[in-house]
Amino acid sequence: MAQFRMNGSKMLAVDMAGETIRALNGSMVAYEGQMTFKRQGMTGGEGLRGAIRRRVAGESITLMEVTGHGTVYLAQEATEVTLVQLAGDTLFVESDSLLALDGQLQTGVQFIGLRGMGTGQGLATTKVEGYGTVALLSDGPAIALEVTPGVPLCVDPHAYVGHRGQLQQDIVTDVNWRTVMGQGSGESVQFRYQGHGLVYVQPAERGGMLEI
């Protein structure tokens, strides 16, 4: 299995001995040894059905296959990188927060309904499952917030990076006369998580705040 390790907080190094990984297209900044790079094209490694589901949902992702012997260095616009280890479980992540993953991990698209209508981020998110490592991107160091039964967690949609565990996700809206009159908090829509698991958030808001 390829070995994922950090080289500073904003660069991922992957040591490979003939394995294949998938990485964000164009994220390679350097490599040592013998490497081949192959863009996965419209299917993104998920097959034609997966590509169609993403197109319908508006959830785009462009990955490349990296195979070889040596070390490849990956980064994206000097954003922070966080490593997540999966052991047969599932990670849900925004497609623009996915830097790289073990080649044996399976990806797909997960429909999440009204969330995309509220945030403009599409009607789906990317699902990663299996055994291996996933590298996430975030604007500033990602923080893992634990959700426990009976204590729901609400997250700004623009700060959300991903989540894992036995979690139920829904939408919380706070539209009242104060919001309509411009006296609200500016945080009118949130994602609410209930159950048990982890939610990864970034200390910045992509695209600015959302009000409805």
Side-chain angles (χ1 to χ4, degrees):
M1 183 178 295
Q3 300 298 311
F4 287 60
R5 57 183 173 86
M6 298 301 302
N7 191 328
S9 65
K10 300 180 180 181
M11 184 175 296
L12 171 67
V14 185
D15 301 317
M16 302 167 63
E19 301 92 347
T20 296
I21 66 167
R22 285 188 283 166
L24 181 66
N25 193 53
S27 62
M28 187 277 292
V29 296
Y31 69 89
E32 301 166 347
Q34 300 296 320
M35 297 285 170
T36 60
F37 301 86
K38 179 182 178 182
R39 183 167 176 163
Q40 292 192 312
M42 66 171 293
T43 65
E46 298 170 5
L48 184 58
R49 178 175 296 181
I52 293 173
R53 284 170 62 87
R54 285 191 179 278
R55 186 176 182 86
V56 171
E59 176 78 351
S60 62
I61 184 171
T62 304
L63 299 175
M64 60 180 177
E65 286 187 351
V66 185
T67 305
H69 292 78
T71 302
V72 61
Y73 299 89
L74 305 169
Q76 179 70 8
E77 298 180 352
T79 50
E80 301 281 340
V81 180
T82 299
L83 299 182
V84 177
Q85 302 290 335
L86 296 183
D89 50 331
T90 301
L91 171 72
F92 298 93
V93 58
E94 290 289 349
S95 60
D96 58 3
S97 296
L98 185 60
L99 174 62
L101 65 155
D102 269 315
Q104 60 192 14
L105 288 170
Q106 300 297 312
T107 60
V109 59
Q110 177 77 19
F111 286 91
I112 47 179
L114 291 174
R115 170 180 163 185
M117 297 174 62
T119 68
Q121 296 175 10
L123 291 171
T125 191
T126 295
K127 177 173 63 175
V128 183
E129 54 190 346
Y131 292 82
T133 306
V134 184
L136 304 180
L137 295 168
S138 60
D139 189 356
I143 301 169
L145 300 177
E146 184 176 7
V147 182
T148 56
V151 185
L153 173 70
C154 292
V155 175
D156 185 322
H158 298 292
Y160 169 82
V161 173
H163 72 274
R164 64 190 297 192
Q166 302 301 313
L167 292 176
Q168 175 186 349
Q169 180 193 53
D170 59 4
I171 305 296
V172 178
T173 59
D174 181 23
V175 181
N176 53 37
W177 69 272
R178 291 178 61 84
T179 302
V180 173
M181 296 298 293
Q183 300 178 21
S185 67
E187 308 293 342
S188 299
V189 177
Q190 298 94 36
F191 297 159
R192 180 174 60 190
Y193 297 90
Q194 301 181 79
H196 188 271
L198 295 175
V199 179
Y200 298 89
V201 299
Q202 62 182 9
E205 296 182 338
R206 63 173 71 82
M209 294 186 297
L210 171 71
E211 293 189 57
I212 62 173

